[in-house]
Amino acid sequence: MQASAQVINDTRTTEREKSFYVKASCIFLVMIIMSAIGWIAENTVKLISSGKMDNRFHVLPFIFPYGLAFLAMYAVLGNTNDIGFFGKKLFSKRSVKSVILSNIMYVSIVSFFVFIGELSVGNLYEFATGAKLWDYSSQPLHLTQYVSLSSALGYGVGAYIVMKALSPLCNALIEKGNIRAVIIADCTLGAAILTDSVCMILITLITKTPPVYWAIQF
């Protein structure tokens, strides 16, 4: 009897470990997708504002901090229609009112953290490397060169819309995805993206200028 109980406990432990492994792998793949969306979003804004496109300081068309932003939103806030904090739902029952309030709060919180994030990252990066990654001085409602109310709200709404699409995708991958294919993508593409990000940081630290490999003026 004791042996049987031990086998059952070992099986449950293995299933929990597998579940965590599968979930982490799928979340990382969606982080990669979010990194690509971030690259596209930045170049879209740059194209509209200045008629230019460039590599956004990376060799590959991925900006990994956007992937980290997805992880933070997914882990901390959860579902846009049922907002919570670290898995604890804010509303005990879902209703039309709670869904509306949840979405409004989601946009507001994400926009606030975009504001704080841009302000912090821009100033810390300049302090550490001497390089200025972006300048919002020409934008309306800018407060410093690194942050403006319009950019914070714009990226906040954009992140909210993306979360509407990526959260269900992430859940679908966890439930029904080809985990072997997910892991292959994580190990190959993920490793290349992380290497690219580290190289960008090192180049900027050494040269005091973020790398620009190509730029197109339209």
Side-chain angles (χ1 to χ4, degrees):
M1 291 291 292
Q2 290 180 347
S4 298
Q6 183 63 42
V7 170
I8 292 172
N9 289 333
D10 290 345
T11 300
R12 288 175 178 172
T13 300
T14 301
E15 288 177 351
R16 284 196 298 269
E17 291 174 348
K18 182 179 179 181
S19 177
F20 175 79
Y21 182 69
V22 168
K23 190 172 184 178
S25 300
C26 294
I27 290 174
F28 189 73
L29 179 59
V30 178
M31 288 171 67
I32 291 174
I33 296 171
M34 184 69 174
S35 301
I37 292 173
W39 188 93
I40 294 170
E42 285 204 4
N43 259 316
T44 300
V45 172
K46 190 174 183 67
L47 182 62
I48 293 172
S49 62
S50 64
K52 296 180 182 178
M53 290 183 65
D54 60 34
N55 61 287
R56 305 311 303 148
F57 317 129
H58 295 76
V59 174
L60 300 173
F62 300 90
I63 305 178
F64 194 65
Y66 284 90
L68 295 175
F70 168 80
L71 176 62
M73 289 186 288
Y74 186 83
V76 177
L77 299 178
N79 193 321
T80 56
N81 290 330
D82 193 13
I83 193 171
F85 298 95
F86 297 100
K88 187 175 182 179
K89 300 301 182 183
L90 184 62
F91 301 101
S92 57
K93 294 182 180 180
R94 182 179 292 194
S95 63
V96 174
K97 182 179 178 181
S98 72
V99 169
I100 293 172
L101 288 174
S102 180
N103 281 268
I104 292 173
M105 291 179 65
Y106 211 102
V107 172
S108 301
I109 293 171
V110 172
S111 297
F112 173 76
F113 279 102
V114 168
F115 182 93
I116 298 299
E118 287 195 313
L119 187 64
S120 301
V121 172
N123 281 287
L124 285 173
Y125 209 89
E126 182 179 357
F127 175 78
T129 67
K132 298 179 180 180
L133 290 182
W134 65 84
D135 188 350
Y136 288 149
S137 297
S138 61
Q139 287 197 12
L141 303 177
H142 77 276
L143 302 180
T144 75
Q145 66 177 349
Y146 292 124
V147 67
S148 73
L149 296 179
S150 58
S151 67
L153 181 59
Y155 280 120
V157 171
Y160 160 79
I161 293 171
V162 169
M163 284 300 294
K164 279 282 192 185
L166 291 190
S167 291
L169 172 62
C170 187
N171 294 333
L173 283 172
I174 293 170
E175 293 296 326
K176 302 178 181 180
N178 185 328
I179 301 305
R180 184 175 181 179
V182 169
I183 293 171
I184 291 174
D186 286 349
C187 293
T188 54
L189 191 55
I193 292 169
L194 292 174
T195 300
D196 187 19
S197 298
V198 171
C199 289
M200 185 273 285
I201 293 171
L202 291 176
I203 290 171
T204 307
L205 284 170
I206 294 170
T207 65
K208 305 300 181 184
T209 304
V212 178
Y213 304 113
W214 59 265
I216 302 174
Q217 177 69 58
F218 291 93

PDB file of all heavy atoms in Angstrom, residues 181-206:
ATOM      1  N   ALA A 181       7.432  21.356 -31.050  1.00  0.00           N
ATOM      2  CA  ALA A 181       7.684  22.479 -31.964  1.00  0.00           C
ATOM      3  C   ALA A 181       7.895  23.771 -31.183  1.00  0.00           C
ATOM      4  O   ALA A 181       8.746  24.603 -31.544  1.00  0.00           O
ATOM      5  CB  ALA A 181       6.519  22.630 -32.939  1.00  0.00           C
ATOM      6  N   VAL A 182       7.135  23.949 -30.115  1.00  0.00           N
ATOM      7  CA  VAL A 182       7.282  25.135 -29.269  1.00  0.00           C
ATOM      8  C   VAL A 182       8.685  25.204 -28.671  1.00  0.00           C
ATOM      9  O   VAL A 182       9.336  26.254 -28.684  1.00  0.00           O
ATOM     10  CB  VAL A 182       6.220  25.140 -28.144  1.00  0.00           C
ATOM     11  CG1 VAL A 182       6.530  26.216 -27.106  1.00  0.00           C
ATOM     12  CG2 VAL A 182       4.832  25.359 -28.726  1.00  0.00           C
ATOM     13  N   ILE A 183       9.159  24.080 -28.157  1.00  0.00           N
ATOM     14  CA  ILE A 183      10.481  24.039 -27.525  1.00  0.00           C
ATOM     15  C   ILE A 183      11.588  24.295 -28.547  1.00  0.00           C
ATOM     16  O   ILE A 183      12.566  24.997 -28.261  1.00  0.00           O
ATOM     17  CB  ILE A 183      10.690  22.685 -26.817  1.00  0.00           C
ATOM     18  CG1 ILE A 183       9.735  22.574 -25.628  1.00  0.00           C
ATOM     19  CG2 ILE A 183      12.135  22.535 -26.350  1.00  0.00           C
ATOM     20  CD1 ILE A 183       9.710  21.206 -24.985  1.00  0.00           C
ATOM     21  N   ILE A 184      11.434  23.753 -29.745  1.00  0.00           N
ATOM     22  CA  ILE A 184      12.430  23.988 -30.808  1.00  0.00           C
ATOM     23  C   ILE A 184      12.507  25.482 -31.131  1.00  0.00           C
ATOM     24  O   ILE A 184      13.598  26.052 -31.263  1.00  0.00           O
ATOM     25  CB  ILE A 184      12.076  23.172 -32.068  1.00  0.00           C
ATOM     26  CG1 ILE A 184      12.284  21.680 -31.801  1.00  0.00           C
ATOM     27  CG2 ILE A 184      12.932  23.628 -33.258  1.00  0.00           C
ATOM     28  CD1 ILE A 184      11.816  20.774 -32.935  1.00  0.00           C
ATOM     29  N   ALA A 185      11.339  26.121 -31.258  1.00  0.00           N
ATOM     30  CA  ALA A 185      11.308  27.566 -31.533  1.00  0.00           C
ATOM     31  C   ALA A 185      11.934  28.348 -30.388  1.00  0.00           C
ATOM     32  O   ALA A 185      12.696  29.298 -30.607  1.00  0.00           O
ATOM     33  CB  ALA A 185       9.868  28.018 -31.770  1.00  0.00           C
ATOM     34  N   ASP A 186      11.628  27.938 -29.159  1.00  0.00           N
ATOM     35  CA  ASP A 186      12.199  28.614 -27.989  1.00  0.00           C
ATOM     36  C   ASP A 186      13.715  28.526 -27.977  1.00  0.00           C
ATOM     37  O   ASP A 186      14.411  29.522 -27.722  1.00  0.00           O
ATOM     38  CB  ASP A 186      11.650  27.984 -26.697  1.00  0.00           C
ATOM     39  CG  ASP A 186      10.212  28.377 -26.417  1.00  0.00           C
ATOM     40  OD1 ASP A 186       9.712  29.297 -27.090  1.00  0.00           O
ATOM     41  OD2 ASP A 186       9.593  27.759 -25.532  1.00  0.00           O
ATOM     42  N   CYS A 187      14.228  27.344 -28.238  1.00  0.00           N
ATOM     43  CA  CYS A 187      15.677  27.112 -28.119  1.00  0.00           C
ATOM     44  C   CYS A 187      16.476  27.751 -29.255  1.00  0.00           C
ATOM     45  O   CYS A 187      17.622  28.157 -29.047  1.00  0.00           O
ATOM     46  CB  CYS A 187      15.961  25.609 -28.065  1.00  0.00           C
ATOM     47  SG  CYS A 187      15.352  24.803 -26.571  1.00  0.00           S
ATOM     48  N   THR A 188      15.896  27.809 -30.439  1.00  0.00           N
ATOM     49  CA  THR A 188      16.623  28.366 -31.589  1.00  0.00           C
ATOM     50  C   THR A 188      16.408  29.869 -31.722  1.00  0.00           C
ATOM     51  O   THR A 188      17.330  30.665 -31.541  1.00  0.00           O
ATOM     52  CB  THR A 188      16.190  27.656 -32.881  1.00  0.00           C
ATOM     53  OG1 THR A 188      14.760  27.708 -33.016  1.00  0.00           O
ATOM     54  CG2 THR A 188      16.630  26.204 -32.868  1.00  0.00           C
ATOM     55  N   LEU A 189      15.171  30.241 -31.987  1.00  0.00           N
ATOM     56  CA  LEU A 189      14.857  31.656 -32.182  1.00  0.00           C
ATOM     57  C   LEU A 189      15.050  32.438 -30.882  1.00  0.00           C
ATOM     58  O   LEU A 189      15.578  33.557 -30.891  1.00  0.00           O
ATOM     59  CB  LEU A 189      13.428  31.799 -32.686  1.00  0.00           C
ATOM     60  CG  LEU A 189      12.985  33.180 -33.189  1.00  0.00           C
ATOM     61  CD1 LEU A 189      13.937  33.681 -34.270  1.00  0.00           C
ATOM     62  CD2 LEU A 189      11.562  33.110 -33.717  1.00  0.00           C
ATOM     63  N   GLY A 190      14.638  31.856 -29.770  1.00  0.00           N
ATOM     64  CA  GLY A 190      14.792  32.530 -28.485  1.00  0.00           C
ATOM     65  C   GLY A 190      16.247  32.806 -28.155  1.00  0.00           C
ATOM     66  O   GLY A 190      16.594  33.902 -27.693  1.00  0.00           O
ATOM     67  N   ALA A 191      17.112  31.826 -28.396  1.00  0.00           N
ATOM     68  CA  ALA A 191      18.538  32.010 -28.120  1.00  0.00           C
ATOM     69  C   ALA A 191      19.130  33.109 -29.004  1.00  0.00           C
ATOM     70  O   ALA A 191      19.942  33.921 -28.549  1.00  0.00           O
ATOM     71  CB  ALA A 191      19.288  30.697 -28.342  1.00  0.00           C
ATOM     72  N   ALA A 192      18.714  33.134 -30.276  1.00  0.00           N
ATOM     73  CA  ALA A 192      19.218  34.156 -31.195  1.00  0.00           C
ATOM     74  C   ALA A 192      18.774  35.554 -30.760  1.00  0.00           C
ATOM     75  O   ALA A 192      19.563  36.510 -30.804  1.00  0.00           O
ATOM     76  CB  ALA A 192      18.722  33.860 -32.616  1.00  0.00           C
ATOM     77  N   ILE A 193      17.520  35.676 -30.322  1.00  0.00           N
ATOM     78  CA  ILE A 193      16.996  36.982 -29.885  1.00  0.00           C
ATOM     79  C   ILE A 193      17.724  37.464 -28.637  1.00  0.00           C
ATOM     80  O   ILE A 193      18.103  38.641 -28.532  1.00  0.00           O
ATOM     81  CB  ILE A 193      15.484  36.883 -29.633  1.00  0.00           C
ATOM     82  CG1 ILE A 193      14.742  36.650 -30.948  1.00  0.00           C
ATOM     83  CG2 ILE A 193      14.958  38.150 -28.954  1.00  0.00           C
ATOM     84  CD1 ILE A 193      13.290  36.274 -30.779  1.00  0.00           C
ATOM     85  N   LEU A 194      17.916  36.588 -27.668  1.00  0.00           N
ATOM     86  CA  LEU A 194      18.614  36.962 -26.438  1.00  0.00           C
ATOM     87  C   LEU A 194      20.058  37.356 -26.729  1.00  0.00           C
ATOM     88  O   LEU A 194      20.581  38.324 -26.162  1.00  0.00           O
ATOM     89  CB  LEU A 194      18.560  35.812 -25.434  1.00  0.00           C
ATOM     90  CG  LEU A 194      17.171  35.510 -24.857  1.00  0.00           C
ATOM     91  CD1 LEU A 194      17.215  34.255 -23.990  1.00  0.00           C
ATOM     92  CD2 LEU A 194      16.646  36.687 -24.047  1.00  0.00           C
ATOM     93  N   THR A 195      20.711  36.625 -27.634  1.00  0.00           N
ATOM     94  CA  THR A 195      22.088  36.962 -28.017  1.00  0.00           C
ATOM     95  C   THR A 195      22.143  38.329 -28.678  1.00  0.00           C
ATOM     96  O   THR A 195      23.027  39.151 -28.399  1.00  0.00           O
ATOM     97  CB  THR A 195      22.647  35.895 -28.977  1.00  0.00           C
ATOM     98  OG1 THR A 195      22.632  34.617 -28.326  1.00  0.00           O
ATOM     99  CG2 THR A 195      24.079  36.228 -29.391  1.00  0.00           C
ATOM    100  N   ASP A 196      21.187  38.588 -29.563  1.00  0.00           N
ATOM    101  CA  ASP A 196      21.100  39.878 -30.243  1.00  0.00           C
ATOM    102  C   ASP A 196      20.921  41.011 -29.237  1.00  0.00           C
ATOM    103  O   ASP A 196      21.558  42.070 -29.335  1.00  0.00           O
ATOM    104  CB  ASP A 196      19.935  39.844 -31.230  1.00  0.00           C
ATOM    105  CG  ASP A 196      19.860  41.083 -32.113  1.00  0.00           C
ATOM    106  OD1 ASP A 196      20.872  41.795 -32.240  1.00  0.00           O
ATOM    107  OD2 ASP A 196      18.774  41.331 -32.669  1.00  0.00           O
ATOM    108  N   SER A 197      20.069  40.809 -28.240  1.00  0.00           N
ATOM    109  CA  SER A 197      19.823  41.835 -27.221  1.00  0.00           C
ATOM    110  C   SER A 197      21.068  42.111 -26.391  1.00  0.00           C
ATOM    111  O   SER A 197      21.393  43.270 -26.105  1.00  0.00           O
ATOM    112  CB  SER A 197      18.671  41.396 -26.315  1.00  0.00           C
ATOM    113  OG  SER A 197      17.470  41.253 -27.036  1.00  0.00           O
ATOM    114  N   VAL A 198      21.763  41.053 -26.007  1.00  0.00           N
ATOM    115  CA  VAL A 198      22.996  41.222 -25.220  1.00  0.00           C
ATOM    116  C   VAL A 198      24.049  41.953 -26.036  1.00  0.00           C
ATOM    117  O   VAL A 198      24.739  42.844 -25.520  1.00  0.00           O
ATOM    118  CB  VAL A 198      23.519  39.847 -24.749  1.00  0.00           C
ATOM    119  CG1 VAL A 198      24.904  39.989 -24.121  1.00  0.00           C
ATOM    120  CG2 VAL A 198      22.560  39.225 -23.750  1.00  0.00           C
ATOM    121  N   CYS A 199      24.177  41.605 -27.307  1.00  0.00           N
ATOM    122  CA  CYS A 199      25.153  42.268 -28.180  1.00  0.00           C
ATOM    123  C   CYS A 199      24.830  43.753 -28.325  1.00  0.00           C
ATOM    124  O   CYS A 199      25.736  44.604 -28.323  1.00  0.00           O
ATOM    125  CB  CYS A 199      25.172  41.606 -29.557  1.00  0.00           C
ATOM    126  SG  CYS A 199      25.914  39.965 -29.582  1.00  0.00           S
ATOM    127  N   MET A 200      23.538  44.087 -28.446  1.00  0.00           N
ATOM    128  CA  MET A 200      23.137  45.486 -28.554  1.00  0.00           C
ATOM    129  C   MET A 200      23.568  46.261 -27.315  1.00  0.00           C
ATOM    130  O   MET A 200      24.106  47.368 -27.411  1.00  0.00           O
ATOM    131  CB  MET A 200      21.621  45.581 -28.742  1.00  0.00           C
ATOM    132  CG  MET A 200      21.097  46.995 -28.993  1.00  0.00           C
ATOM    133  SD  MET A 200      20.740  47.954 -27.499  1.00  0.00           S
ATOM    134  CE  MET A 200      19.220  47.192 -26.953  1.00  0.00           C
ATOM    135  N   ILE A 201      23.357  45.669 -26.145  1.00  0.00           N
ATOM    136  CA  ILE A 201      23.729  46.334 -24.894  1.00  0.00           C
ATOM    137  C   ILE A 201      25.241  46.512 -24.813  1.00  0.00           C
ATOM    138  O   ILE A 201      25.744  47.587 -24.442  1.00  0.00           O
ATOM    139  CB  ILE A 201      23.216  45.524 -23.691  1.00  0.00           C
ATOM    140  CG1 ILE A 201      21.685  45.549 -23.663  1.00  0.00           C
ATOM    141  CG2 ILE A 201      23.772  46.083 -22.381  1.00  0.00           C
ATOM    142  CD1 ILE A 201      21.072  44.616 -22.645  1.00  0.00           C
ATOM    143  N   LEU A 202      26.000  45.473 -25.172  1.00  0.00           N
ATOM    144  CA  LEU A 202      27.463  45.544 -25.094  1.00  0.00           C
ATOM    145  C   LEU A 202      28.020  46.575 -26.075  1.00  0.00           C
ATOM    146  O   LEU A 202      28.921  47.354 -25.730  1.00  0.00           O
ATOM    147  CB  LEU A 202      28.070  44.168 -25.386  1.00  0.00           C
ATOM    148  CG  LEU A 202      27.827  43.090 -24.322  1.00  0.00           C
ATOM    149  CD1 LEU A 202      28.392  41.750 -24.785  1.00  0.00           C
ATOM    150  CD2 LEU A 202      28.453  43.502 -22.988  1.00  0.00           C
ATOM    151  N   ILE A 203      27.488  46.595 -27.295  1.00  0.00           N
ATOM    152  CA  ILE A 203      27.943  47.564 -28.295  1.00  0.00           C
ATOM    153  C   ILE A 203      27.679  48.989 -27.822  1.00  0.00           C
ATOM    154  O   ILE A 203      28.526  49.880 -27.953  1.00  0.00           O
ATOM    155  CB  ILE A 203      27.251  47.310 -29.659  1.00  0.00           C
ATOM    156  CG1 ILE A 203      27.765  46.010 -30.272  1.00  0.00           C
ATOM    157  CG2 ILE A 203      27.476  48.478 -30.618  1.00  0.00           C
ATOM    158  CD1 ILE A 203      26.996  45.568 -31.502  1.00  0.00           C
ATOM    159  N   THR A 204      26.506  49.203 -27.239  1.00  0.00           N
ATOM    160  CA  THR A 204      26.167  50.531 -26.748  1.00  0.00           C
ATOM    161  C   THR A 204      27.058  50.938 -25.583  1.00  0.00           C
ATOM    162  O   THR A 204      27.483  52.102 -25.481  1.00  0.00           O
ATOM    163  CB  THR A 204      24.688  50.580 -26.318  1.00  0.00           C
ATOM    164  OG1 THR A 204      23.864  50.107 -27.381  1.00  0.00           O
ATOM    165  CG2 THR A 204      24.273  51.999 -25.963  1.00  0.00           C
ATOM    166  N   LEU A 205      27.352  49.989 -24.697  1.00  0.00           N
ATOM    167  CA  LEU A 205      28.243  50.281 -23.574  1.00  0.00           C
ATOM    168  C   LEU A 205      29.640  50.663 -24.045  1.00  0.00           C
ATOM    169  O   LEU A 205      30.285  51.564 -23.507  1.00  0.00           O
ATOM    170  CB  LEU A 205      28.326  49.067 -22.638  1.00  0.00           C
ATOM    171  CG  LEU A 205      27.122  48.827 -21.720  1.00  0.00           C
ATOM    172  CD1 LEU A 205      27.250  47.466 -21.045  1.00  0.00           C
ATOM    173  CD2 LEU A 205      27.008  49.932 -20.685  1.00  0.00           C
ATOM    174  N   ILE A 206      30.117  49.963 -25.072  1.00  0.00           N
ATOM    175  CA  ILE A 206      31.478  50.194 -25.556  1.00  0.00           C
ATOM    176  C   ILE A 206      31.583  51.455 -26.406  1.00  0.00           C
ATOM    177  O   ILE A 206      32.489  52.279 -26.239  1.00  0.00           O
ATOM    178  CB  ILE A 206      31.971  48.975 -26.366  1.00  0.00           C
ATOM    179  CG1 ILE A 206      32.110  47.753 -25.441  1.00  0.00           C
ATOM    180  CG2 ILE A 206      33.308  49.272 -27.045  1.00  0.00           C
ATOM    181  CD1 ILE A 206      32.349  46.457 -26.165  1.00  0.00           C
TER     182      ILE A 206
END
